[in-house]
């Protein structure tokens, strides 16, 4: 059974501005872009830095340190230096509540 946890209100998310939250000690970046809300692991797979400090464009989040970008839907990197994906997590919207589950999407 998938357990969802409220992480913030929909109104707290600015378009294309990542918001860092922690769920059970796991850093997660929550992003509202292109009419959807995504949740992606907040640590770059190339360097141990927070993705939520990067920029969002074309449904990707860019690591501010070396420029690797990750698809918000799949977690896959779109270019070097990152070669490994980062986990993405299921998101549900209930009213104004944004809920995230740490169960990874397949």
């Amino acid at each position: 059974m998938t357990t969802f946890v409220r992480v913030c209100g929909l109104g707290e998310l600015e378009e294309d501005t990542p918001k860092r939250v922690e769920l059970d000690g796991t850093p997660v970046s929550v992003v509202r872009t292109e009419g959807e809300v995504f949740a992606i692991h907040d640590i770059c797979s190339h360097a141990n830095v927070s993705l939520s400090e990067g920029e969002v464009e074309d449904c990707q989040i860019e690591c501010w340190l070396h420029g690797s970008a990750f698809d918000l839907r799949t977690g896959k990197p779109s270019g070097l230096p990152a070669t490994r994906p980062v986990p993405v997590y299921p998101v549900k919207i209930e009213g104004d509540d944004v809920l995230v589950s740490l169960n990874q999407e397949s």
Side-chain angles (χ1 to χ4, degrees), residues 16-89:
D16 296 330
T17 302
K19 179 179 181 66
R20 181 186 167 110
V21 299
E22 286 216 13
L23 291 174
D24 294 328
T26 300
V28 177
S29 183
V30 181
V31 181
R32 183 179 192 172
T33 188
E34 299 181 11
E36 295 184 65
V37 178
F38 300 94
I40 190 167
H41 191 72
D42 192 44
I43 304 300
C44 178
S45 63
H46 168 256
N48 190 25
V49 297
S50 175
L51 291 175
S52 63
E53 295 177 31
E55 295 184 13
V56 174
E57 187 175 346
D58 296 328
C59 213
Q60 295 186 56
I61 189 166
E62 182 179 61
C63 177
W64 62 270
L65 187 60
H66 296 114
S68 289
F70 298 88
D71 189 302
L72 291 167
R73 298 166 292 231
T74 65
K76 292 180 181 174
S78 61
L80 298 173
T83 57
R84 292 180 328 220
V86 293
V88 293
Y89 305 107

